[in-house]
Each structure stands twice: as structure tokens, then as C-alpha cells.
Amino acid sequence: MGGHVNMMDDVLISNLSPDLLRSSLRQLISLCRENRQAFLKHTRGKLEAAQSQHAESQTLFPEPNVASEECLKYLTDTRCLLSAQMPFETLSRLTHFCQSITMANASWTPGSELEGVLETFSGDIVQSMQALKESGLPADDHLKQQLQALAKTLVDCKRHCLDKKPEPLTFPLRRALRQVYDVYSFFFPSASALDAVDDADARIEINPTSSSHVETVKLGQLQFPRLLNGFWQLSSPAWGSASAESQDEALKALVEAGLTAADMADHYGDAELVYGSFRNRLHPDIQERVYAATKWCVFKQVTVPITESWVLQNVEARYRRLGGRVDLLQFHWYNYDEDGWLFILESLVRLTKSRPDLVRAIGLCNFDSQRTEEVCEHLLRTTGEVGIVSNQVQFSLVDSRPLQKMSAVCEKYGLKLLTYGSFSGGLVSERWIGAPAPEPYSASAKLTPSQRKYYDMVMSWGTWTEFQELLRRLATVGSKHKVSLTVVASRWVLQQPAVGAVIVGTRLGVSMHGNENLHVFDFTLSEDDLSFINEAALGKEMEKSRALYSKIGDCGHEYHSVY
């Protein structure tokens, strides 16, 4: 029967539409790690066998402003190599593409198709550099030469843009150049530094709001706004790529609106570099009030001695990428059964006392209730105070797990919850009212990776029909307060016990909803509003909330159970 089944499978594969075939493949890969490994191994082998000569420069850039078919195909093939974890092949192609810009004397005008393609290419380089950091490759001479070659071609490309006559060209690869230099420093910290790269040294003049309209929360000695700009979407060009200049403009608008704090991590692409470059070009008085909350996430077993000097090195790495202080460093640990995390947190808290110029406050990220309490008790015994100020967890109308235990633990020790996922990746919005349940792995559904993740959460919480009822209730309350249902969803989270701030995903320079999100401070949900929403979100006597907790575990459990 095995042969018969294989034959029929082959017929099915041969006749499926490309969209359905991709959907099926995504589903298979999502089922288990072994499927993904087999897929990568097979794909990598085919890509290695199909390696060909680089395209000619003039073929890539045959005329001004035009992204040729060969150019687009070259970039598509390069992304395949990157995603198949073939670092050196990827670096070679990135370098050749940058060289071709200069060799072909390519040119473009602002807003042209080619400029947009180059901005996307810049995002590809950012992602490839992040993949290099996480690859575990040895910092040997071969890697050094590859990175130096890529950096040189990017500098040559910048010079080509500046020297172009009669008018200089825009330089759409600034993010890429900045990230390459940073990754070079990551691998070769003791090597001679490459020349300074970020020429965007012009002061950014802004006029931040002096209105008390934006609610704030005290984290350590700092007053953070209760809405944080979240930069998770900078971790991949899947959410779109933007130029460094458009990102600066987006950040300027957010700070001027009073949203003066951002949440990021060193594995969110170039998020720290983007924010640090922006903040360091503000007037010193304003810099002091623009806050950076970043992370130190340990995702795998530590293979070096865990010492105070090692902890300091990791904090300094984030300080370097930000080009200045870390206002809140949030710590994540991959496996509670592995020793070291209590010592690390104790060392971090002591650093806030001895080196406030380096790091001001310490928080947790995706810790569960038991370990959060364990951390607080340990710090009380060893330092005489709780020391940490927050825990970042998922919290939304369809993920109310913090209400089971976490909120009480935080209130007991004076911690604040910094929450993400309030909009469920955009599923909590008017556009989904009355819409059929999406097929998460279908290209036609056009779901982002974030929406796929949160669709699974919705299905763990309840049915699509129940989700529709929740959306309708949010819309009813929103109509009463003259705000969108997404704003109501954020307000609901802000009014839950121990919640300090909501983190709202921001696609810098691509799309933003800063002004809409500010409406969360225009009103307060009444007891009647909360009861009306809670009946659908939490269930009678919170049975839906308890059922979800029993099904998938406490806060952050999904980030630990895979190890």
C-alpha cells in the first residue's frame, strides 16, 4: 500500500495549484521541527547543485529607474539562499549586487521602482546580517574578508550616489551599511574598527508634546508613556522595508505625539541601530526623555562561564548598538532547569546601581508566575530589594492568562506588566467583522506571520463564531466612545490589574497608526463596558480564561516548552 499511497500523493502534488501547494507545505513545516529540518536539507541541496554565475551588471541595471526582470530574479534567488541558511553564498551575491550598482552606473529618482527595490534589498542585507549573528559561524579570516568586501562595496555605492552628476542620488542602502559594520564589530570586537559609516549626523529638530494627554507609568526612576512603540516587525522584511530616512520621519512623528518610548531587541533586525541613530541626533534635553527598552534573550544553552564580566559584556553590546544608555533591559531565559538565570538577574540589578549610565532598570520577558516570584524573592534575599520593575507578556482579550496568577504576583512585588498582542496581529479590527475564518497558510489569505501566530491563539481561545461576537461587542463599545474597536481592545488591557503599558507594533516608514492609538487615552471603560466585553472575552465566571490557561500553560510557557 505504501507504493499506492506515494503514487496518489505524487498525482496530488502534480495537480495542486501553486497556492494550495504552498499552503500544504507551510502546514507540514509548522507541524514539527523534523519536517522543517528535512525541508531545509532538501532545499539547500538543490540550491547548491543549481549554483550559477552571477548576472552581468548591465543585465541587472540596464536603464535608469527600472528594476529589470533579471534584477528581481537575482534578488529572489538570493533570498532563497539566505533563508536556506547558506551564509557565504548569500554574502557573495549581496556583494556582487552592490558592485553592480556602481559598475553599471545605475541611477534612480526618488519614488522610482528601482529605488523601492533597493530599499527592499537594504532590508535583505539587514536580515542576512542578523542571520549571520545567529548562525554560530566561527569568527575566522574567511568571514572577516567577506564582511569587509561587502562593507567596501556598500561604501563605494554610497560614494557613487554622492558623486552622481548633475544631481546626487539618494542612498537607499544606509540601513544595510550600518548593519554590516555593526555585525563586523560583533564578530571581531578586537579587530581594527572600520571607518565610521553613519553620515546622518544632522540634528533632528522636534517639538514633543507637552500635553498631559498621554498617560504614564513609573518604571524604576523613569516615567514611561503607557503606549510603547514595538519594533518586532523590523526583524524581517516580510512586513515591508523602508529607508532610513522614512524611519526617522516616522520616529519623529511618534515622539512629537508623546510616544517617547520604544520596545526592541538585538534580534529584531536593526531595531536598536535605527532607534539609537535617531535618538542620538536629538537635542540632549529631548534625548533624556526618549526611552529605549530592549532585551537580552538567551535562547539556548550558555557554553561559557556565567560571570559578572560576561553579564557586563552583554549589556555593553546593547549599549553599543543603541549608541547610549539602555533605559530598560528585559531578560528572557530559555530553560528554567538550566542554572544561571538568577545569578544573571542579580548581576543586572547590581549594574543599575553601579553603572546607571549604562543601564537604568531591569525587567523580565516572558517569565511565568512561579519564576517571577522566585526572582523577586531571590533578589530580596541577595540585594535587599526586588530590583526588577516589569515583566513583558502576551495579554489580550483572547489571551487573558495573566489574570490567573501573573497579575497577582506583580501587584504583590510592585512590578508592572508590559503587554503585547493586544490587537492579535491585526485580527482585532473592523475589517474582520463578518469575514470568514482565514486559511492561515494560504497565500490568498495574505496573513502576516504575526497574524498566523495569533490566529492559532484565537482558535485556542474559542471558535471563529465566538471571535465574531467579541468583535461586534468591541465595535458597539467603540461606537459609544467614538473610537475604533482596536482602541477599545487596547483600553481594556490598560485597565487590567498590574498592567503598566501596552506595546503596539509599529512598521516604521511602512505604515503607522500612532494618532489613532493615542485615542486610547481619550476615555475610560465603565464597569458596564467591561462586563459587556468580559462576558464574550473571559466567559461566565472566567471559564474561557481558565480553560486557556489549562490548555497552553502560564504566561510565556510557549517560549519554553519547545526546548
Side-chain angles (χ1 to χ4, degrees):
M1 290 301 294
H4 174 71
V5 171
N6 288 339
M7 180 184 70
M8 297 307 294
D9 286 348
D10 188 68
V11 171
L12 182 62
I13 291 168
S14 299
N15 289 277
L16 284 175
S17 68
D19 183 35
L20 186 52
L21 193 60
R22 288 189 175 96
S23 172
S24 301
L25 185 56
R26 290 188 180 107
Q27 176 69 33
L28 283 171
I29 291 171
S30 72
L31 291 177
C32 66
R33 184 174 299 179
E34 288 74 15
N35 286 357
R36 178 175 182 269
Q37 291 171 341
F39 167 69
L40 281 176
K41 181 179 179 181
H42 176 80
T43 302
R44 193 180 298 121
K46 293 298 182 182
L47 290 173
E48 288 173 347
Q51 284 296 296
S52 59
Q53 295 291 322
H54 293 320
E56 294 290 334
S57 300
Q58 287 297 148
T59 305
L60 293 173
F61 303 104
E63 56 184 301
N65 292 321
V66 174
S68 67
E69 289 187 14
E70 186 64 37
C71 174
L72 297 176
K73 182 180 185 304
Y74 187 93
L75 293 180
T76 298
D77 292 346
T78 303
R79 291 180 194 119
C80 289
L81 295 174
L82 166 63
S83 301
Q85 300 173 6
M86 300 168 66
F88 290 115
E89 294 87 347
T90 303
L91 281 170
S92 175
R93 290 178 68 90
L94 295 175
T95 301
H96 174 73
F97 191 82
C98 293
Q99 288 173 334
S100 296
I101 294 173
T102 304
M103 294 175 65
N105 197 26
S107 64
W108 51 88
T109 54
S112 67
E113 176 194 20
L114 182 55
E115 185 190 54
V117 166
L118 293 176
E119 288 174 355
T120 301
F121 173 65
S122 187
D124 291 336
I125 294 181
V126 168
Q127 188 176 33
S128 69
M129 292 299 102
Q130 186 61 41
L132 270 183
K133 285 178 63 177
E134 299 170 4
S135 67
L137 284 173
D140 57 19
D141 286 342
H142 182 46
L143 179 59
K144 179 183 285 189
Q145 291 166 6
Q146 290 269 40
L147 288 174
Q148 288 174 336
L150 179 55
K152 180 182 183 303
T153 59
L154 283 165
V155 170
D156 290 343
C157 183
K158 184 173 77 168
R159 188 175 298 113
H160 164 76
C161 294
L162 295 176
D163 294 345
K164 193 71 173 176
K165 304 298 182 185
E167 293 292 334
L169 298 171
T170 58
F171 178 54
L173 306 179
R174 184 176 136 212
R175 290 179 60 198
L177 184 52
R178 191 167 53 195
Q179 180 82 333
V180 169
Y181 275 55
D182 180 77
V183 170
Y184 181 85
S185 298
F186 170 82
F187 278 104
F188 308 104
S190 60
S192 298
L194 299 173
D195 294 335
V197 52
D198 195 352
D199 62 346
D201 54 3
R203 178 82 72 190
I204 296 177
E205 299 295 340
I206 64 173
N207 297 299
T209 179
S210 59
S211 169
S212 59
H213 177 65
V214 176
E215 296 174 7
T216 62
V217 60
K218 190 173 183 181
L219 297 176
Q221 300 302 313
L222 305 176
Q223 290 290 140
F224 275 62
R226 296 193 73 201
L227 277 184
L228 269 64
N229 308 309
F231 291 166
W232 177 43
Q233 291 163 333
L234 288 179
S235 61
S236 168
W239 287 277
S241 292
S243 68
E245 290 74 19
S246 61
Q247 290 179 333
D248 286 341
E249 286 299 316
L251 284 168
K252 176 181 176 181
L254 289 168
V255 171
E256 287 185 334
L259 302 181
T260 56
D263 174 76
M264 64 205 80
D266 72 341
H267 60 280
Y268 291 1
D270 59 345
E272 290 175 331
L273 299 176
V274 169
Y275 199 67
S277 173
F278 169 79
R279 185 173 67 173
N280 291 334
R281 285 178 285 134
L282 302 176
H283 188 279
D285 290 344
I286 298 175
Q287 283 184 34
E288 186 62 25
R289 291 176 282 145
V290 175
Y291 302 134
T294 191
K295 302 182 185 71
W296 176 12
C297 297
V298 179
F299 292 123
K300 57 186 178 181
Q301 187 174 26
V302 178
T303 58
V304 298
I306 297 177
T307 63
E308 289 186 352
S309 62
W310 179 74
V311 172
L312 177 61
Q313 289 171 13
N314 278 277
V315 177
E316 288 176 334
R318 284 137 187 91
Y319 178 93
R320 175 181 59 79
R321 283 173 62 84
L322 281 167
R325 71 182 191 279
V326 178
D327 296 297
L328 173 64
L329 181 60
Q330 301 160 97
F331 179 71
H332 172 78
W333 185 254
Y334 77 109
N335 185 351
Y336 299 126
D337 293 332
E338 293 287 340
D339 293 334
W341 48 283
L342 288 172
F343 174 82
I344 291 172
L345 282 163
E346 181 183 340
S347 299
L348 289 174
V349 168
R350 294 189 189 281
L351 272 178
T352 64
K353 309 301 181 186
S354 63
R355 293 293 306 278
D357 59 310
L358 196 67
V359 58
R360 293 188 179 186
I362 304 301
L364 306 176
C365 181
N366 286 316
F367 267 63
D368 65 18
S369 305
Q370 176 187 336
R371 277 68 180 204
T372 298
E373 185 158 22
E374 190 174 339
V375 167
C376 293
E377 289 295 332
H378 175 81
L379 291 173
L380 281 169
R381 288 193 303 271
T382 57
T383 70
E385 59 180 337
V386 170
I388 59 174
V389 300
S390 62
N391 186 16
Q392 183 175 145
V393 296
Q394 186 169 291
F395 200 168
S396 72
L397 289 154
V398 298
D399 185 7
S400 57
R401 288 177 295 164
L403 293 176
Q404 297 303 309
K405 293 182 179 180
M406 181 61 72
S407 294
V409 170
C410 289
E411 291 192 315
K412 176 180 178 180
Y413 293 100
L415 308 185
K416 293 298 182 182
L417 291 174
L418 306 181
T419 70
Y420 61 91
S422 301
F423 302 154
S424 297
L427 294 176
V428 178
S429 69
E430 278 83 357
R431 65 162 293 211
W432 289 100
I433 294 179
E439 200 292 291
Y441 297 104
S442 171
S444 60
K446 297 182 179 179
L447 295 188
T448 66
S450 178
Q451 287 172 332
R452 291 189 194 120
K453 167 190 172 181
Y454 287 111
Y455 177 78
D456 287 344
M457 179 57 66
V458 170
M459 292 298 98
S460 296
W461 165 83
T463 67
W464 188 255
T465 299
E466 290 173 320
F467 184 63
Q468 289 292 307
E469 174 60 21
L470 175 60
L471 292 181
R472 284 191 288 269
R473 292 192 179 212
L474 293 174
T476 297
V477 175
S479 178
K480 169 185 170 183
H481 293 285
K482 297 181 173 56
V483 296
S484 68
L485 70 85
T486 56
V487 171
V488 174
S490 288
R491 187 70 227 180
W492 182 88
V493 177
L494 281 175
Q495 290 185 213
Q496 299 308 307
V499 171
V502 168
I503 302 167
V504 179
T506 306
R507 297 165 66 185
L508 284 179
V510 178
S511 67
M512 293 203 314
H513 304 279
N515 289 333
E516 179 187 354
N517 293 331
L518 282 169
H519 290 306
V520 75
F521 302 124
D522 291 345
F523 69 104
T524 301
L525 293 171
S526 67
E527 289 300 319
D528 287 342
D529 293 333
L530 291 170
S531 296
F532 183 63
I533 295 169
N534 289 347
E535 185 179 20
L538 308 180
K540 294 181 180 179
E541 298 182 355
M542 294 186 69
E543 77 265 21
K544 289 184 74 65
S545 181
R546 287 196 300 273
L548 183 68
Y549 183 92
S550 298
K551 185 175 184 178
I552 63 178
D554 198 5
C555 301
H557 178 73
E558 59 272 30
Y559 295 99
H560 296 86
S561 60
V562 297
Y563 296 103

